């Protein structure tokens, strides 16, 4: 299970006394929302970007710093929920996206033949 830890979200470094910022990988059905309710963590959502060839999206969000543990616990439960809902490629998608972003950072920001679009 340790392999899945922190696989489906990034912590975004941004100065704030009250909030922690994240980018999460979810589905367009927003399966993570139910886990946030279950773990009693309030999350404020920002922009989201939809994968053009799949059911996944990257969502920027924030939560209070005091709720960081509950937020990360909910995100660590998400891969199991994805499997139960039939998204068997979720872990591979998250790994691929993280690897792709790491490669872009190493190459200086150039990503060829890819399209990102904000959701409507």
């Amino acid at each position: 299970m340790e392999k899945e830890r922190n696989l489906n979200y990034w912590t975004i470094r941004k100065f704030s006394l009250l909030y922690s910022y994240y980018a999460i990988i979810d589905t367009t059905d927003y399966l993570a929302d139910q886990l946030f309710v279950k773990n009693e963590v309030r999350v404020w959502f920002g922009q989201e970007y939809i994968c053009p060839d799949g059911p996944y999206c990257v969502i920027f969000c924030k939560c209070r710093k005091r709720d960081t543990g509950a937020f990360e616990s909910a995100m660590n439960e998400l891969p199991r929920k994805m499997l139960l809902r039939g998204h068997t490629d979720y872990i591979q998608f998250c790994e691929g996206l993280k690897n792709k972003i790491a490669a872009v950072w190493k190459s200086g920001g150039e990503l060829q033949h890819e399209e990102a679009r904000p959701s409507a």
Side-chain angles (χ1 to χ4, degrees), residues 10 13 21-22 24 27 43 63 72 78 81 102 113-114 116-117:
W10 292 271
R13 292 190 312 201
Y21 293 85
Y22 296 92
I24 65 172
T27 64
V43 178
C63 70
E72 292 178 0
L78 188 57
K81 184 169 187 155
H113 308 294
E114 293 293 329
R117 59 183 170 92

Side-chain angles (χ1 to χ4, degrees), residues 43-77:
V43 178
W44 289 266
F45 298 100
Q47 289 189 312
E48 63 183 65
Y49 295 88
I50 297 174
C51 177
D53 56 349
Y56 303 112
C57 56
V58 176
I59 304 170
F60 292 90
C61 59
K62 68 181 179 180
C63 70
R64 293 211 179 254
K65 284 189 175 182
R66 67 176 180 236
D67 295 332
T68 299
F71 177 91
E72 292 178 0
S73 176
M75 290 306 299
N76 289 330
E77 290 179 42

Side-chain angles (χ1 to χ4, degrees), residues 16-32:
S16 175
L17 295 174
L18 298 176
Y19 297 102
S20 294
Y21 293 85
Y22 296 92
I24 65 172
I25 302 172
D26 198 356
T27 64
T28 53
D29 294 332
Y30 308 110
L31 298 180

Side-chain angles (χ1 to χ4, degrees), residues 10 96-107:
W10 292 271
L97 185 59
K98 282 211 171 191
N99 291 338
K100 191 180 292 187
I101 289 173
V104 169
W105 282 347
K106 286 181 181 178
S107 71

